[in-house]
Amino acid sequence: MNVLVVNAGSSSLKLRVLGEDDTVLAEHHAERWTGETGPLEDFLSTAPPVHAVGHRVVHGGAAFTSATAIDDDTRTRIEALTALAPLHQPRALAGIDAVTRLLPGVPQVACFDTSFHTTMPAAAATYALPSSWRRRWDLRRHGFHGLSHGYASRRATELAGRPGARVVSCHLGSGASLAAVANGRSVDTTMGFTPLAGLVMATRSGDVDPGLLVWLQRAGLSLDDLEDGLEHHSGLAGLSETGGDLRDVREAAESGDERAVLALQVHGHHLRQGIAAMTASLGGIDLLVFTGGAGEHDPVLRAETVAGLAFLGLELDPGRNAEVSGDTRVSTSPTEVWVIEAREDVEIAAQTRELLNHRVRPAPQPCAPGR
């Protein structure tokens, strides 16, 4: 079964056709995509036959805990979650609609970034909010980047030969999050009800004192301006007054820009703090995994992060870290550090095939930290 994987980001579009053995038969990456059909139509005109389509959908809420066949009802329920992931959900819907027009009759499957984190224990998933609020709006920590965390943590444990390992997975790109994974199950993560929480990101703030947000509203900032500022003008962009790309921020810092220097310091502080917190949720760490654009391609980021976490028994091999190619162990310490190529497409294709082949996956069960 050839599976077309449609990975629609907040502004980009990644397309791949994977064969039965996950060989990449065709691919296309558009850095800028606003939802138009053209790129998909052009790609499909030369791509091999497609038997099924798997879509990455960022937010599944409480309704979607596993891959789900797409029909009119599924699309409507995905659209209803747009307010919780305003940067991503509209793009996923645009991809679904484009494929529906271009490949009528080909089965489509939605694969959710949130579903991997449904195994988090209640202590990690529950907000300390009034119970009436939690019941009315089903408020909980959902977590995101689950397709990436699931693949990267599994791949690293396979390569390390440690299937039951306690893994802290670091998905670091324009969006960024950490996950604590034990026995292949998520037990904690840095993102929450929306993809805005957790680490400092390219344009997103990450964790902010909720009292500060209340104060800003009382000071006269509108809800629309607050949302726009937190989503599009915060993070590395807000600190450095650049576009937020980590490469540009690092270049500015190296030229002596004090704003960029501070941005890197704040970014690194929260990253190290988050890794230590995920380690605490696991009761220890066996593998630290870097994935995503920055995680894979920024050796300075990895070196600085690991240097600040030496107390966890982490030590890099400078040579390996500087010359990463593919999936690579970059540590000399017993607590291993791995760089794993982000392959959400493999995870999406696997979930798509599994659903369409009517294989029943056991319902995920919460597991205690450290098990």
Side-chain angles (χ1 to χ4, degrees):
M1 178 189 295
N2 292 346
V3 178
L4 167 63
V5 175
V6 180
N7 186 339
S10 58
S11 61
S12 64
L13 178 67
K14 297 178 183 178
L15 303 171
R16 273 185 174 171
V17 177
L18 299 188
E20 192 67 48
D21 58 354
D22 291 328
T23 300
V24 178
L25 304 178
E27 63 183 329
H28 174 71
H29 183 193
E31 287 289 348
R32 297 295 175 193
W33 184 64
T34 57
E36 66 276 11
T37 304
L40 259 164
E41 188 170 12
D42 292 343
F43 176 73
L44 291 172
S45 67
T46 59
V50 170
H51 308 118
V53 183
H55 294 266
R56 176 197 175 208
V57 180
V58 164
H59 214 310
F64 297 104
T65 59
S66 62
T68 303
I70 296 174
D71 55 22
D72 290 343
D73 176 64
T74 301
R75 191 204 178 283
T76 298
R77 291 193 289 158
I78 291 172
E79 186 173 23
L81 296 166
T82 297
L84 302 181
L87 296 182
H88 299 86
Q89 215 79 345
R91 294 293 187 264
L93 291 165
I96 291 169
D97 293 341
V99 171
T100 300
R101 290 193 296 272
L102 296 170
L103 296 175
V106 175
Q108 300 185 68
V109 174
C111 302
F112 299 92
D113 263 325
T114 48
S115 62
F116 179 68
H117 300 294
T118 59
T119 55
M120 286 194 298
T126 305
Y127 283 117
L129 294 171
S131 58
S132 59
W133 296 4
R134 289 187 283 111
R135 286 194 300 268
R136 180 178 179 183
W137 291 294
D138 196 18
L139 304 179
R140 57 158 285 158
R141 296 179 66 242
H142 294 289
F144 299 90
H145 294 132
L147 296 165
S148 178
H149 288 305
Y151 174 82
S153 58
R154 183 176 63 254
R155 175 69 171 158
T157 57
E158 289 172 353
L159 291 172
R162 303 174 74 171
R166 298 165 298 180
V167 182
V168 175
S169 171
C170 309
H171 177 96
L172 306 177
S174 59
S177 70
L178 310 176
V181 183
N183 290 319
R185 294 180 172 88
S186 173
V187 299
D188 204 352
T189 189
T190 51
M191 283 182 168
F193 186 64
T194 75
L196 188 56
L199 302 177
V200 173
M201 292 170 257
T203 66
R204 283 173 266 174
S205 64
D207 286 344
V208 176
D209 178 357
L212 170 62
L213 306 183
V214 173
W215 185 90
L216 286 170
Q217 288 184 263
R218 292 190 187 280
L221 200 63
S222 71
L223 275 174
D224 287 343
D225 286 342
L226 185 63
E227 180 181 46
D228 182 56
L230 293 171
E231 293 275 6
H232 301 286
H233 305 290
S234 295
L236 289 169
L239 288 164
S240 66
E241 299 186 28
T242 68
D245 188 297
L246 185 60
R247 293 165 294 188
D248 295 336
V249 178
R250 194 176 299 286
E251 182 178 345
E254 290 170 353
S255 68
D257 188 318
E258 293 182 359
R259 297 166 303 177
V261 171
L262 176 62
L264 292 177
Q265 290 172 341
V266 174
H267 178 270
H269 172 81
H270 285 271
L271 176 55
R272 293 188 298 272
Q273 184 183 63
I275 292 170
M278 293 299 103
T279 300
S281 294
L282 290 166
I285 181 172
D286 301 309
L287 305 177
L288 177 64
V289 177
F290 289 94
T291 192
E296 294 173 45
H297 302 297
D298 192 333
V300 176
L301 172 65
R302 294 191 298 268
E304 291 178 347
T305 301
V306 171
L309 295 168
F311 65 92
L312 293 178
L314 299 167
E315 185 176 352
L316 287 187
D317 179 310
R320 291 182 196 169
N321 183 55
E323 300 294 336
V324 168
S325 177
D327 299 335
T328 307
R329 180 181 175 180
V330 294
S331 60
T332 57
S333 50
T335 303
E336 300 178 23
V337 182
W338 285 82
V339 178
I340 299 294
E341 180 185 1
R343 291 299 305 269
E344 293 163 312
D345 57 321
V346 171
E347 188 70 16
I348 292 167
Q351 292 186 18
T352 298
R353 293 190 185 102
E354 187 172 45
L355 180 69
L356 296 179
N357 289 335
H358 305 290
R359 298 173 187 162
V360 179
R361 178 182 291 177
Q365 299 296 320
C367 82
R371 280 191 179 174

